[in-house]
Amino acid sequence: MNERFTRVIEKMKEENVPQLIVSDPVAIFYLTGKWIYPGERLLALFIHKDGDPKLVINELFPQEEDLGVELIWYNDVEDGVEILSKYIHEDEIMGIDKEWPAKFLLRLQELLPDKKYVNSSLLIDKVRMIKDEEEKELMRESSRINDKVMEELIPWVVEGLTERELSDKVKKIYAKHGIQKVSFEPITAYAKGAADPHHETDDAKGKTGDCVVLDIGGFYKNYASDMTRTVFIGEVSERQREIYEIVKEACQRGIDAAKPGNRMCDVDLAARNYIEEKGFGKYFTHRTGHSIGLEDHEYGDVSSVNEHIILPGQCFSVEPGIYLPDEGIGVRIEDLVLITEDGCEVLNQFTKDLIVVPQEEK
Ligand SMILES: [Mn+2]
């Protein structure tokens, strides 16, 4: 068993969940190093606190390499859940992950009706929250590439290009850097679109004086990057500059609060209090950030209600924003931080100074 299994089992003991079924392909990849997408078929990793994990898997998914677990095969005419049920200890609570399809869980409940079932997804989510050395290196490299993509993208922010064209450009630049998969649809939002944090890319054209929110991320060797910069086409108004500088300072204050011993909500509050002080509190309408790793959004919000004490190895975003729909102004600035023993390492090096993208003379 590898170190990650060991950490999961320690957590199981801590939280009194003696046995666990894991079905989320991301969690299975995390533990075995292998992506397996079973479609509608059963794929279940059974972990008992005494060790010797088992993966119940359909014969249609032959595995050549050693996944570090015993493979229990079934075929399309067998009842995989019944096979799985034979490994389950009768008299103990059964942890289930939230992604397990109801059709499998209900079948198991039929087979073992007297058992107590609990949602135990957090056991693995909490282990995944603390990045190991290999993951830290991958997160660093993923963000290093994201910095370069941002740098190459910004000169393309010009009058006349649509949001969609700019978003396609983002994907092309990632591809040039060997990144085939974005961690989410790139946000390339102008003015009114920028003022809507949930804006979907459309055919609006950039024009001089627009603020442009660029929120981009890609997967490098399965690890996500995510950063946001807001730039201005050709010129910037005093009002836009004022908003920009407030968000920039709020982001810095959030980053400064990202250290072991503080709580996640302290990061949120550091950014939020500053924006409130400046009179824009009600225009900062979302949480300050989210954890990130194998998925763009992982367990562990940077929000005002998360009192979890920050630990070394955590990785999350700090991304305050101010959105003024009536004025068509939206500014968000986002960096990723990796928590160290006494503070944090900011994974994005790309400048947060205000950028006005120069336009060609017509
Ligand atoms: Mn983000």
mmCIF file of all heavy atoms in Angstrom, residues 184 215-216 225-228 287-292 296-297 317-319 332 334-336, ligand 1:
data_model
loop_
_atom_site.group_PDB
_atom_site.id
_atom_site.type_symbol
_atom_site.label_atom_id
_atom_site.label_comp_id
_atom_site.label_asym_id
_atom_site.label_seq_id
_atom_site.Cartn_x
_atom_site.Cartn_y
_atom_site.Cartn_z
ATOM 1 N N PHE A 184 -11.427 24.392 -16.842
ATOM 2 C CA PHE A 184 -12.822 24.870 -16.943
ATOM 3 C C PHE A 184 -12.855 25.727 -18.200
ATOM 4 O O PHE A 184 -11.804 26.143 -18.700
ATOM 5 C CB PHE A 184 -13.207 25.699 -15.702
ATOM 6 C CG PHE A 184 -12.240 26.803 -15.405
ATOM 7 C CD1 PHE A 184 -12.412 28.071 -15.937
ATOM 8 C CD2 PHE A 184 -11.102 26.561 -14.626
ATOM 9 C CE1 PHE A 184 -11.494 29.078 -15.693
ATOM 10 C CE2 PHE A 184 -10.176 27.572 -14.382
ATOM 11 C CZ PHE A 184 -10.376 28.831 -14.915
ATOM 12 N N ASP A 215 -10.143 34.607 -16.825
ATOM 13 C CA ASP A 215 -10.068 33.590 -15.769
ATOM 14 C C ASP A 215 -9.783 32.267 -16.477
ATOM 15 O O ASP A 215 -10.648 31.736 -17.178
ATOM 16 C CB ASP A 215 -11.402 33.557 -15.015
ATOM 17 C CG ASP A 215 -11.353 32.673 -13.768
ATOM 18 O OD1 ASP A 215 -10.368 31.919 -13.607
ATOM 19 O OD2 ASP A 215 -12.318 32.724 -12.968
ATOM 20 N N ILE A 216 -8.562 31.774 -16.316
ATOM 21 C CA ILE A 216 -8.131 30.640 -17.143
ATOM 22 C C ILE A 216 -7.398 29.573 -16.312
ATOM 23 O O ILE A 216 -6.779 29.868 -15.289
ATOM 24 C CB ILE A 216 -7.205 31.110 -18.293
ATOM 25 C CG1 ILE A 216 -5.906 31.732 -17.746
ATOM 26 C CG2 ILE A 216 -7.921 32.105 -19.206
ATOM 27 C CD1 ILE A 216 -4.857 32.013 -18.812
ATOM 28 N N SER A 225 -4.559 24.262 -12.947
ATOM 29 C CA SER A 225 -4.171 25.633 -12.630
ATOM 30 C C SER A 225 -5.427 26.490 -12.740
ATOM 31 O O SER A 225 -6.442 26.045 -13.291
ATOM 32 C CB SER A 225 -3.095 26.131 -13.591
ATOM 33 O OG SER A 225 -3.570 26.110 -14.925
ATOM 34 N N ASP A 226 -5.354 27.701 -12.208
ATOM 35 C CA ASP A 226 -6.515 28.583 -12.199
ATOM 36 C C ASP A 226 -6.030 29.961 -11.790
ATOM 37 O O ASP A 226 -5.518 30.129 -10.681
ATOM 38 C CB ASP A 226 -7.541 28.031 -11.180
ATOM 39 C CG ASP A 226 -8.865 28.773 -11.187
ATOM 40 O OD1 ASP A 226 -9.004 29.750 -11.950
ATOM 41 O OD2 ASP A 226 -9.755 28.374 -10.411
ATOM 42 N N MET A 227 -6.121 30.928 -12.670
ATOM 43 C CA MET A 227 -5.750 32.289 -12.296
ATOM 44 C C MET A 227 -6.642 33.277 -13.042
ATOM 45 O O MET A 227 -7.176 32.956 -14.095
ATOM 46 C CB MET A 227 -4.277 32.583 -12.607
ATOM 47 C CG MET A 227 -4.028 32.966 -14.045
ATOM 48 S SD MET A 227 -2.263 33.192 -14.459
ATOM 49 C CE MET A 227 -1.806 34.526 -13.404
ATOM 50 N N THR A 228 -6.778 34.449 -12.435
ATOM 51 C CA THR A 228 -7.566 35.498 -13.088
ATOM 52 C C THR A 228 -6.780 36.802 -13.086
ATOM 53 O O THR A 228 -6.178 37.163 -12.074
ATOM 54 C CB THR A 228 -8.897 35.744 -12.331
ATOM 55 O OG1 THR A 228 -9.572 34.501 -12.174
ATOM 56 C CG2 THR A 228 -9.789 36.710 -13.090
ATOM 57 N N ARG A 287 -17.623 33.734 -2.591
ATOM 58 C CA ARG A 287 -16.573 33.386 -1.635
ATOM 59 C C ARG A 287 -15.213 33.819 -2.208
ATOM 60 O O ARG A 287 -15.077 34.043 -3.413
ATOM 61 C CB ARG A 287 -16.598 31.883 -1.371
ATOM 62 C CG ARG A 287 -16.251 31.110 -2.639
ATOM 63 C CD ARG A 287 -16.364 29.600 -2.502
ATOM 64 N NE ARG A 287 -16.074 29.044 -3.827
ATOM 65 C CZ ARG A 287 -16.307 27.812 -4.225
ATOM 66 N NH1 ARG A 287 -16.833 26.951 -3.387
ATOM 67 N NH2 ARG A 287 -16.009 27.423 -5.435
ATOM 68 N N THR A 288 -14.198 33.881 -1.346
ATOM 69 C CA THR A 288 -12.898 34.371 -1.799
ATOM 70 C C THR A 288 -12.119 33.321 -2.576
ATOM 71 O O THR A 288 -11.257 33.673 -3.381
ATOM 72 C CB THR A 288 -12.100 34.902 -0.584
ATOM 73 O OG1 THR A 288 -12.777 36.051 -0.085
ATOM 74 C CG2 THR A 288 -10.676 35.276 -0.939
ATOM 75 N N GLY A 289 -12.403 32.040 -2.364
ATOM 76 C CA GLY A 289 -11.631 31.055 -3.126
ATOM 77 C C GLY A 289 -12.068 29.635 -2.861
ATOM 78 O O GLY A 289 -13.073 29.385 -2.187
ATOM 79 N N HIS A 290 -11.291 28.712 -3.405
ATOM 80 C CA HIS A 290 -11.613 27.278 -3.339
ATOM 81 C C HIS A 290 -10.317 26.491 -3.352
ATOM 82 O O HIS A 290 -9.309 26.946 -3.905
ATOM 83 C CB HIS A 290 -12.481 26.889 -4.534
ATOM 84 C CG HIS A 290 -11.854 27.265 -5.862
ATOM 85 N ND1 HIS A 290 -10.963 26.454 -6.513
ATOM 86 C CD2 HIS A 290 -11.956 28.395 -6.611
ATOM 87 C CE1 HIS A 290 -10.565 27.064 -7.631
ATOM 88 N NE2 HIS A 290 -11.139 28.243 -7.711
ATOM 89 N N SER A 291 -10.361 25.296 -2.800
ATOM 90 C CA SER A 291 -9.202 24.414 -2.886
ATOM 91 C C SER A 291 -9.096 23.895 -4.312
ATOM 92 O O SER A 291 -10.067 23.893 -5.076
ATOM 93 C CB SER A 291 -9.336 23.261 -1.901
ATOM 94 O OG SER A 291 -9.250 23.755 -0.577
ATOM 95 N N ILE A 292 -7.905 23.419 -4.660
ATOM 96 C CA ILE A 292 -7.641 22.980 -6.036
ATOM 97 C C ILE A 292 -6.577 21.890 -6.029
ATOM 98 O O ILE A 292 -5.770 21.817 -5.093
ATOM 99 C CB ILE A 292 -7.228 24.201 -6.902
ATOM 100 C CG1 ILE A 292 -7.015 23.803 -8.375
ATOM 101 C CG2 ILE A 292 -5.976 24.872 -6.346
ATOM 102 C CD1 ILE A 292 -6.930 24.999 -9.320
ATOM 103 N N ASP A 296 -10.445 21.311 -10.386
ATOM 104 C CA ASP A 296 -10.354 22.765 -10.252
ATOM 105 C C ASP A 296 -10.967 23.234 -8.937
ATOM 106 O O ASP A 296 -10.441 24.134 -8.282
ATOM 107 C CB ASP A 296 -11.060 23.424 -11.443
ATOM 108 C CG ASP A 296 -11.013 24.932 -11.341
ATOM 109 O OD1 ASP A 296 -9.926 25.458 -11.035
ATOM 110 O OD2 ASP A 296 -12.048 25.580 -11.554
ATOM 111 N N HIS A 297 -12.072 22.600 -8.573
ATOM 112 C CA HIS A 297 -12.683 22.927 -7.275
ATOM 113 C C HIS A 297 -12.657 21.676 -6.410
ATOM 114 O O HIS A 297 -13.282 20.675 -6.752
ATOM 115 C CB HIS A 297 -14.137 23.396 -7.452
ATOM 116 C CG HIS A 297 -14.232 24.782 -8.022
ATOM 117 N ND1 HIS A 297 -15.384 25.518 -8.016
ATOM 118 C CD2 HIS A 297 -13.302 25.564 -8.606
ATOM 119 C CE1 HIS A 297 -15.168 26.703 -8.592
ATOM 120 N NE2 HIS A 297 -13.910 26.752 -8.960
ATOM 121 N N SER A 317 -7.248 28.938 -4.011
ATOM 122 C CA SER A 317 -7.233 30.209 -4.734
ATOM 123 C C SER A 317 -7.619 31.345 -3.803
ATOM 124 O O SER A 317 -8.345 31.152 -2.826
ATOM 125 C CB SER A 317 -8.201 30.163 -5.914
ATOM 126 O OG SER A 317 -9.542 30.150 -5.456
ATOM 127 N N VAL A 318 -7.110 32.534 -4.119
ATOM 128 C CA VAL A 318 -7.533 33.768 -3.457
ATOM 129 C C VAL A 318 -7.992 34.674 -4.597
ATOM 130 O O VAL A 318 -7.169 35.100 -5.408
ATOM 131 C CB VAL A 318 -6.378 34.405 -2.667
ATOM 132 C CG1 VAL A 318 -6.843 35.705 -2.002
ATOM 133 C CG2 VAL A 318 -5.826 33.430 -1.617
ATOM 134 N N GLU A 319 -9.300 34.889 -4.701
ATOM 135 C CA GLU A 319 -9.829 35.560 -5.887
ATOM 136 C C GLU A 319 -10.991 36.497 -5.598
ATOM 137 O O GLU A 319 -12.119 36.276 -6.044
ATOM 138 C CB GLU A 319 -10.244 34.537 -6.943
ATOM 139 C CG GLU A 319 -11.110 33.390 -6.438
ATOM 140 C CD GLU A 319 -11.481 32.428 -7.575
ATOM 141 O OE1 GLU A 319 -11.985 32.898 -8.609
ATOM 142 O OE2 GLU A 319 -11.264 31.211 -7.418
ATOM 143 N N ARG A 332 -11.782 41.025 -11.184
ATOM 144 C CA ARG A 332 -11.418 39.919 -10.294
ATOM 145 C C ARG A 332 -9.932 39.648 -10.503
ATOM 146 O O ARG A 332 -9.441 39.712 -11.631
ATOM 147 C CB ARG A 332 -12.252 38.670 -10.598
ATOM 148 C CG ARG A 332 -11.874 37.461 -9.724
ATOM 149 C CD ARG A 332 -12.896 36.316 -9.752
ATOM 150 N NE ARG A 332 -13.001 35.680 -11.043
ATOM 151 C CZ ARG A 332 -13.996 35.846 -11.891
ATOM 152 N NH1 ARG A 332 -14.986 36.659 -11.581
ATOM 153 N NH2 ARG A 332 -14.011 35.221 -13.048
ATOM 154 N N GLU A 334 -6.985 36.763 -9.242
ATOM 155 C CA GLU A 334 -6.871 35.451 -8.595
ATOM 156 C C GLU A 334 -5.466 34.874 -8.727
ATOM 157 O O GLU A 334 -4.912 34.801 -9.821
ATOM 158 C CB GLU A 334 -7.847 34.472 -9.260
ATOM 159 C CG GLU A 334 -7.654 33.019 -8.845
ATOM 160 C CD GLU A 334 -8.622 32.059 -9.541
ATOM 161 O OE1 GLU A 334 -9.065 32.378 -10.664
ATOM 162 O OE2 GLU A 334 -8.910 31.005 -8.966
ATOM 163 N N ASP A 335 -4.928 34.459 -7.592
ATOM 164 C CA ASP A 335 -3.692 33.684 -7.550
ATOM 165 C C ASP A 335 -3.960 32.395 -6.796
ATOM 166 O O ASP A 335 -4.859 32.343 -5.951
ATOM 167 C CB ASP A 335 -2.602 34.449 -6.766
ATOM 168 C CG ASP A 335 -1.827 35.424 -7.645
ATOM 169 O OD1 ASP A 335 -1.935 35.352 -8.883
ATOM 170 O OD2 ASP A 335 -1.100 36.257 -7.063
ATOM 171 N N LEU A 336 -3.132 31.393 -7.049
ATOM 172 C CA LEU A 336 -3.164 30.185 -6.221
ATOM 173 C C LEU A 336 -2.051 30.274 -5.190
ATOM 174 O O LEU A 336 -0.969 30.776 -5.477
ATOM 175 C CB LEU A 336 -2.946 28.931 -7.075
ATOM 176 C CG LEU A 336 -3.997 28.628 -8.138
ATOM 177 C CD1 LEU A 336 -3.707 27.270 -8.778
ATOM 178 C CD2 LEU A 336 -5.406 28.654 -7.552
HETATM 179 MN MN MN B 1 -10.761 29.917 -9.289
#
